[in-house]
Amino acid sequence: MTAGTPAAPLTFGRGPAWANRFAVAPLTNLQSHPDGTLSDDEYAWLVRRAQGGFGMVMTCASHVSRAGQAFPGQLAAWDDRFLPGLTRLAGGIRDAGGVAALQLHHGGRRADAALSGVPVVAPWDDPAKSARALTTAEVEQVVADFTAAAVRAERAGFHGVEVHGAHGYLVCQFLNPRNDRADRYGGSFENRTRMVWEILHGIRAATGPDFQVGLRLTPERSGIPLAEARALAADVLVSGLLDYLDMSLWDAFKETHEEAHRDRLLIDHFTGLPRGGTRLGVAGKIGSAPDAAWCLDRGADFVLVGAGAVLHHDFPVRALADAGFRLVQPRPREHFVRESVGPAFLHYLATNWDDFVA
Ligand SMILES: Cc1cc2nc3c(=O)[nH]c(=O)nc-3n(C[C@H](O)[C@H](O)[C@H](O)COP(=O)(O)O)c2cc1C
């Protein structure tokens, strides 16, 4: 085993090493209770993945402010009332030998007032989404909410958190060039990235020296120009604030969407950046042992597996035992039941994901 192979442990400047290069991608699974508290189904789904050998197990997007809720059955992290469930979940993942991370999220203009019970807020006034612009003081409060949720995660026993800065949710909305706020959080690149930096500094200042902090960014699909995603990635990688950067590429093997950057594959735009001691992960259609090996050969330190983790709680065990291992889909419902996918998640997969549930 050498560093960079799928089976090699991954060490970090802070916090525990991961047993291998496979992480569960954050997956919204709609399985928590309507009030945001942990359910047995959500617990079973994630703990089973830790038992299946994933070096790191990340939760679904968990909202840090009440107004951030975007999904029914979303696991909440915005108040101490959620501590008992979070503590049980972190303990279950840890006891199974996994490193446990809570993904911190705010839906922003993609939140749902009918679920949260409070108005939708966003960087800018957005009548189409019935969203109003946050005041500057409210932006500061959101930053504080991310920090408070990270502290809560640490108290609950999670080894770390990942800040969800991808996929068009609030942090990503702030990054978007469409964010033309007149205060220090909008307009220039420096201003639009300010929220990310303040969240990372806030979390670092409030959590212990071994707390593992990651950030998820996406360079395509969410209105972020590739050059800006790359510039932010370059800065955070060498900032010393992060333990890992998780690049959500949707397809780790694709060309760039923007023609001007097709001199390299999308992944190469990020694996080629200096990263100091920060680790780099990639996600997107990694559905086989050769896929994972290819990403690591290309320069990633680890892979995040979404569909593969749903199909096989022990995807890492299978991929490490068989260098030719590949996902087979669709699968019948009974298969998912055996894999500890609860009824709410299974229904969601069957109705939203093509060729997944037979
Ligand atoms: C059902 C579903 C739920 C997801 N939930 C989240 C989420 O909560 N947070 C997040 O950052 N990404 C989320 N994603 C994106 C995944 O983490 C992952 O990046 C994506 O599915 C690509 O990986 P895959 O091709 O291995 O599935 C979700 C994707 C799917 C299909």
Side-chain angles (χ1 to χ4, degrees), residues 25-29 59-62 71 103 105 162 164 166-167 169 216 246 248-251 283-287 304-309 345 348-349 353:
L27 288 167
T28 291
N29 54 84
T59 68
C60 64
S62 178
F71 313 102
Q103 193 188 40
H105 165 257
E162 176 180 88
H164 194 344
H167 304 170
Y169 297 107
R216 178 165 253 209
D246 160 11
S248 175
L249 305 178
W250 291 110
D251 178 346
K285 292 192 179 359
I286 296 163
L304 298 109
V305 180
F345 195 16
Y348 180 63
L349 295 170
W353 249 1

Side-chain angles (χ1 to χ4, degrees), residues 273-336:
L273 294 171
R275 69 183 87 140
T278 308
R279 303 306 192 173
L280 177 68
V282 292
K285 292 192 179 359
I286 296 163
S288 71
D291 287 350
W294 185 89
C295 291
L296 299 188
D297 284 347
R298 211 84 198 169
D301 294 305
F302 67 99
V303 295
L304 298 109
V305 180
V310 180
L311 283 160
H312 296 290
H313 74 282
D314 55 353
F315 183 98
V317 174
R318 289 167 187 263
L320 292 175
D322 172 6
F325 171 72
R326 279 180 195 284
L327 295 178
V328 176
Q329 54 189 86
R331 295 280 192 163
R333 283 177 173 272
E334 308 78 67
H335 169 87
F336 294 94

Side-chain angles (χ1 to χ4, degrees), residues 11-333:
T11 56
F12 293 83
R14 307 176 189 89
W18 303 357
N20 56 49
R21 306 307 177 97
F22 293 96
V24 179
L27 288 167
T28 291
N29 54 84
L30 319 182
Q31 295 191 118
S32 280
H33 292 303
D35 66 355
T37 52
L38 181 80
S39 73
D40 288 345
D41 282 351
E42 180 124 30
Y43 177 88
W45 141 255
L46 281 172
V47 171
R48 192 83 192 284
R49 269 70 208 160
Q51 291 165 347
F54 280 94
M56 191 270 272
V57 177
M58 184 144 10
T59 68
C60 64
S62 178
H63 47 305
V64 301
S65 314
R66 183 175 205 148
Q69 182 173 3
F71 313 102
Q74 185 171 0
L75 180 68
W78 54 267
D79 190 88
D80 283 351
R81 80 184 74 162
F82 304 109
L83 260 175
L86 295 172
T87 304
R88 180 177 171 227
L89 181 57
I93 295 170
R94 294 175 77 115
D95 289 349
V99 171
L102 184 72
Q103 193 188 40
L104 303 183
H105 165 257
H106 189 305
R109 61 196 281 270
R110 297 181 65 190
D112 187 338
L115 295 172
S116 70
V118 290
V120 176
V121 290
W124 55 85
D125 280 322
D126 198 338
K129 302 268 182 188
S130 304
R132 68 159 180 84
L134 291 156
T135 64
T136 303
E138 286 171 337
V139 179
E140 290 164 357
Q141 183 58 50
V142 169
V143 171
D145 289 348
F146 270 91
T147 301
V151 170
R152 210 164 278 127
E154 187 175 40
R155 282 170 63 201
F158 283 92
H159 295 103
V161 291
E162 176 180 88
V163 175
H164 194 344
H167 304 170
Y169 297 107
L170 185 71
V171 175
C172 192
Q173 291 159 24
F174 269 86
L175 295 175
N176 195 312
R178 193 176 157 190
N179 167 16
D180 60 354
R181 295 175 64 91
D183 65 5
R184 67 183 194 279
Y185 293 104
S188 66
F189 176 73
E190 187 187 357
N191 280 356
R192 285 183 281 116
T193 55
R194 191 179 307 281
M195 174 183 261
V196 168
W197 290 108
E198 289 187 359
I199 290 172
L200 296 180
H201 279 290
I203 293 174
R204 273 288 166 236
T207 56
D210 288 329
F211 199 59
Q212 241 164 39
V213 179
L215 171 68
R216 178 165 253 209
L217 295 176
T218 192
E220 297 191 325
R221 282 206 200 177
S222 302
I224 311 294
L226 179 57
E228 289 200 357
R230 195 163 181 270
L232 179 57
D235 289 346
V236 290
L237 279 170
V238 296
S239 68
L241 289 168
L242 275 188
D243 296 296
Y244 58 91
L245 176 66
D246 160 11
M247 288 306 307
S248 175
L249 305 178
W250 291 110
D251 178 346
F253 311 94
K254 74 188 284 291
E255 286 197 313
T256 63
H257 178 67
E258 293 176 41
E259 277 183 28
H261 298 289
R262 293 225 178 114
D263 55 320
R264 275 163 289 174
L265 291 177
L266 182 58
I267 188 174
D268 295 340
H269 282 277
F270 299 94
T271 53
L273 294 171
R275 69 183 87 140
T278 308
R279 303 306 192 173
L280 177 68
V282 292
K285 292 192 179 359
I286 296 163
S288 71
D291 287 350
W294 185 89
C295 291
L296 299 188
D297 284 347
R298 211 84 198 169
D301 294 305
F302 67 99
V303 295
L304 298 109
V305 180
V310 180
L311 283 160
H312 296 290
H313 74 282
D314 55 353
F315 183 98
V317 174
R318 289 167 187 263
L320 292 175
D322 172 6
F325 171 72
R326 279 180 195 284
L327 295 178
V328 176
Q329 54 189 86
R331 295 280 192 163
R333 283 177 173 272

